[in-house]
Amino acid sequence: MDTIQQQKAALRRELAAAERTMMPEEKRLSDSAILHHVLNTQEYRRAHTVFAFVGRADEIDTRPLLEQILADGKRLCVPLCTAPGVMECREVRDLTVLRPGAYGISEPPDNAPAVPPECVDLAIIPCAGAAADGRRLGRGGGYYDQFLAQYTGDALLLCRERLLCPSIPQETHDIRVPAVVTEQGRLE
């Protein structure tokens, strides 16, 4: 019998392969539809401070969303990895300050102001795959589970339709995100 970690690793490989089969235009349309739905949520409209991931090549491109957050006059925070499994919310006012950091993910400079999780109104969470009920499969580093364990504000999990799974193996430290946003809109 496979361990949960082995099941997760196998599922990550399967979902990464599915992501790689997407054509660039298909990804662009997918990203655009997902971000459109995020911008139309009540959570986004009422948020003053938004913590959002900076998508890498194999994830949803969140740069248009990050730009819109700034254009809407909201406070934008992005992750800065500070230790294995640990990330902090750091405020950015201009996306040009982002530089490749841990795992090739664009990060703010070390001197970007830290924002405590209790000051964040909305967290935009990535995944390798998810179930419609908000169980997420991360990349395996535990960064977002550790963040979500101390975060009490609203959260939206972004997931492409083709990366939705009927079931995600769960461990005790895995934290469900109650609202999933796909190209089709919000799932709850």
Side-chain angles (χ1 to χ4, degrees):
M1 181 72 183
D2 287 343
T3 67
I4 290 178
Q5 291 91 352
Q6 289 170 321
Q7 292 169 16
K8 285 181 169 182
L11 187 54
R12 278 188 196 98
R13 287 190 298 275
E14 180 183 320
L15 293 169
E19 174 88 21
R20 283 191 301 273
T21 66
M22 293 181 75
M23 300 304 292
E25 180 64 5
E26 184 183 9
K27 279 187 175 186
R28 191 188 66 70
L29 291 171
S30 167
D31 295 351
S32 178
I34 291 168
L35 300 183
H36 169 79
H37 290 300
V38 167
L39 293 171
N40 285 296
T41 63
Q42 289 288 348
E43 292 91 341
Y44 179 78
R45 285 198 288 273
R46 69 177 171 240
H48 298 287
T49 301
V50 180
F51 172 63
F53 70 97
V54 182
R56 52 187 208 190
D58 60 345
E59 292 177 324
I60 294 163
D61 178 9
T62 57
R63 279 196 183 256
L65 173 64
L66 304 179
E67 290 166 357
Q68 189 61 53
I69 292 167
L70 291 170
D72 288 342
K74 296 178 186 286
R75 185 180 192 193
L76 172 63
C77 304
V78 298
L80 176 67
C81 297
T82 57
V86 180
M87 67 180 180
E88 295 178 355
C89 303
R90 295 295 184 98
E91 183 176 356
V92 293
R93 294 190 175 111
D94 180 352
L95 299 184
T96 62
V97 303
L98 301 178
R99 298 286 179 261
Y103 312 104
I105 299 168
S106 291
E107 292 185 333
D110 290 340
N111 65 351
V115 177
E118 61 269 17
C119 294
V120 172
D121 302 309
L122 173 62
I124 308 290
I125 309 295
C127 64
D133 67 359
R135 287 174 290 143
R136 68 180 282 278
L137 179 67
R139 304 280 175 197
Y143 290 88
Y144 282 90
D145 286 317
Q146 190 158 330
F147 169 78
L148 288 167
Q150 59 182 341
Y151 176 69
T152 58
D154 290 327
L156 299 173
L157 177 61
L158 307 192
C159 186
R160 298 186 197 283
E161 284 280 327
R162 73 166 50 196
L163 304 180
L164 284 174
C165 303
S167 179
I168 299 283
Q170 291 285 279
E171 296 176 88
T172 55
H173 66 268
D174 291 330
I175 297 183
R176 196 173 72 79
V177 179
V180 180
V181 178
T182 73
E183 296 91 333
Q184 302 304 310
R186 181 191 180 118
L187 312 174
E188 288 193 75

